[in-house]
Amino acid sequence: SPNIVIFDLNTSTEYQNATSKIQRINQLFSDPPLIVIHPYEMKKFVEPLLKAGVNAVLPIAPSEDEIKTAITSTLQGKTFVSL
């Protein structure tokens, strides 16, 4: 089982919505810390991701610092959202 999963929600078409994709990842990998790359930067689109079990949300083209902070925060059990 991985220590952390980073997933671009735009890369998979097998499951229609983001919540379904997150649930499937959690099933496959036994609920690892999960960082997702998400195209929408509005809070109303991010909240359902967090409720579904995401630990961090990054924009489509995250900076190196955003990626480092997301990984560090997630591994420490914290939530990180970059909007």
Side-chain angles (χ1 to χ4, degrees):
S1 182
N3 292 328
I4 194 166
V5 173
I6 300 174
F7 185 74
D8 184 343
L9 289 172
N10 288 323
T11 62
S12 171
T13 58
E14 185 176 346
Y15 300 95
Q16 286 88 10
N17 63 48
T19 303
S20 295
K21 292 176 187 181
I22 292 162
Q23 290 170 344
R24 182 67 180 141
I25 291 168
N26 284 332
Q27 289 172 352
L28 289 172
F29 298 109
S30 301
D31 296 316
L34 178 59
I35 298 172
V36 296
I37 297 171
H38 191 263
Y40 303 108
E41 297 181 11
M42 293 186 291
K43 189 175 181 179
K44 71 177 183 177
F45 293 116
V46 172
E47 288 176 0
L49 302 177
L50 297 172
K51 288 180 183 176
V54 168
N55 302 90
V57 180
L58 293 172
I60 288 290
S63 69
E64 185 176 330
D65 285 341
E66 286 174 312
I67 295 168
K68 287 179 182 177
T69 302
I71 291 170
T72 302
S73 296
T74 299
L75 291 175
Q76 293 174 349
K78 299 176 186 173
T79 300
F80 176 79
V81 176
S82 180
L83 296 178

